[in-house]
Amino acid sequence: MDDETDAVVTAARQQMSRQWVPNRFIDLLEAGEVPKGHLRTLAGELYRLVGSDRRSFALLASRFPSPPAGDLFLAMAQGESQALRLLLDFASALGMDEADLTAYEPRPLAQAYPAYLTQTALHGTRSDIALALLANAAESGDQYTRVADALCKRYGFDEQAVGHFRFFADTPQELLDQAAETLRTGLAAGDDSAEAVRTARMVHAYEAAFWRALSEDIVRGRRSADQTRTAENR
């Protein structure tokens, strides 16, 4: 990356670090405290999220067809297609098929992330999503690694079942290089660097909101169960 591109990525990561909070859902997963029903919720939410992201990246590829942006966004759309196929293995391990995933009723706050990505795909610049990918890849990949490891160690899933999470755990260097070049050419063409940093920060916040929406259901259920036991013991 050149100096300007590197400076923008650094600025985005600094803003993200200031809003970092622990991922309660993954903490619970690693402790083996996520009920199986909530794993089905995870599958249903991801099915909606990934399908929406695939359409968003395809839209970006149509808006910015010239390389490197066109190649980047087309590769990202194709990646989401592969992730959807891998998600079916996770769903199958939970006793769900694609009809179950389609029929699943999503939680509004869990779907705020793909909704924001769609908004950005419609109105943002090529630099916005390129920077979001560069700035968020490492942390997001670590979270998916933790999910895959916890599902295997705590819940007995095999590697085929967690292939969806392994896929997102490791962003190919080629894709990161395409994102860096897309960001460089976008900034050189006049894309607003401050808006790109803002988008990266928002993507990071909305991804955290996705996991938080899943954990809140679990915490709420625990609280209700505790209140019930307290009432019964009086």
Side-chain angles (χ1 to χ4, degrees):
M1 289 186 285
D2 61 23
D3 290 344
E4 181 184 12
T5 304
D6 186 63
V8 172
V9 174
T10 299
R13 288 173 176 163
Q14 287 175 341
Q15 289 201 14
M16 288 162 43
S17 67
R18 289 196 288 270
Q19 67 183 18
W20 183 88
V21 293
N23 190 316
R24 180 64 171 150
F25 180 84
I26 299 181
D27 288 345
L28 290 169
L29 195 69
E30 289 175 331
E33 297 177 7
V34 176
K36 185 174 181 180
H38 285 81
L39 295 181
R40 292 168 67 91
T41 297
L42 174 62
E45 295 294 348
L46 286 172
Y47 184 75
R48 293 282 178 174
L49 185 155
V50 175
S52 177
D53 284 0
R54 178 175 61 174
R55 293 188 292 273
S56 293
F57 295 140
L59 174 59
L60 281 163
S62 70
R63 288 186 60 212
F64 304 103
S66 299
D71 294 339
L72 169 67
F73 296 133
L74 184 58
M76 293 177 76
Q78 292 169 339
E80 299 294 326
S81 293
Q82 183 177 348
L84 272 178
R85 291 191 293 270
L86 292 170
L87 184 61
L88 297 180
D89 291 329
F90 178 57
S92 178
L94 292 167
M96 303 173 73
D97 58 21
E98 194 160 13
D100 295 319
L101 295 173
T102 302
Y104 172 81
E105 291 295 334
R107 287 153 172 74
L109 293 181
Q111 294 301 310
Y113 166 81
Y116 179 74
L117 200 66
T118 298
Q119 174 185 312
T120 303
L122 282 167
H123 304 295
T125 69
R126 80 200 85 178
S127 298
D128 293 342
I129 294 301
L131 178 57
L133 172 61
L134 288 168
N136 282 286
E139 181 178 331
S140 182
D142 178 67
Q143 290 178 334
Y144 276 98
T145 296
R146 291 175 62 195
V147 170
D149 289 347
L151 288 171
C152 292
K153 294 175 183 177
R154 287 291 191 172
Y155 296 86
F157 288 88
D158 60 25
E159 283 297 323
Q160 180 177 347
V162 301
H164 172 87
F165 304 98
R166 296 292 187 205
F167 177 79
F168 282 123
D170 185 21
T171 304
Q173 186 59 47
E174 180 182 0
L175 199 68
L176 295 174
D177 291 343
Q178 288 178 323
E181 184 61 15
T182 296
L183 177 59
R184 187 191 68 78
T185 57
L187 294 175
D191 290 351
D192 186 341
S193 62
E195 185 61 33
V197 170
R198 183 176 297 112
T199 298
R201 176 178 59 80
M202 294 289 285
V203 166
H204 179 260
Y206 278 121
E207 185 170 356
F210 170 80
W211 296 110
R212 186 164 57 250
L214 297 179
S215 68
E216 285 174 352
D217 279 353
I218 300 171
V219 172
R220 192 180 302 114
R222 283 173 146 193
R223 188 178 300 119
S224 177
D226 288 344
Q227 290 173 344
T228 298
R229 283 194 293 270
T230 299
E232 290 174 347
N233 291 333
R234 286 176 178 171

